[in-house]
Amino acid sequence: MPDDNGGQDAKFRERRQLLEASSIGWMFPIAMGIGFGWGWGMDKLFGTKPWLTYIFTALGVAAAFVNLFKIGLRDSGGKE
């Protein structure tokens, strides 16, 4: 017996997709900021200025792209 809840599942999926799409705009600056901050702190600790800052900022950018592809390739679960 099919469960008819008045389209609540479709509305929930639509809102979730909208939330995920809006989070992409924040993902890049946050990942880059965390990478930069971590690298800057490590540079101050070890005296390797600016190498670790560059490396960890690049890793932050790579992490943002990995998350972008995960969101983009995720199956929406809906039937079209």
Side-chain angles (χ1 to χ4, degrees), residues 18-68:
L18 183 63
L19 181 64
E20 287 177 350
S22 66
S23 72
I24 292 171
W26 287 101
M27 184 180 357
F28 279 91
I30 288 173
M32 288 171 50
I34 290 172
F36 176 82
W38 190 269
W40 182 77
M42 298 286 279
D43 276 337
K44 287 190 70 91
L45 182 65
F46 296 121
T48 56
K49 189 176 181 179
W51 296 107
L52 292 177
T53 302
Y54 293 155
I55 291 169
F56 280 98
T57 302
L59 288 174
V61 171
F65 274 106
V66 166
N67 284 331
L68 175 69

Side-chain angles (χ1 to χ4, degrees), residues 7-17:
Q8 293 294 329
D9 287 339
K11 287 181 182 179
F12 176 75
R13 269 188 262 118
E14 186 177 308
R15 288 181 184 150
R16 184 173 177 187
Q17 288 174 347

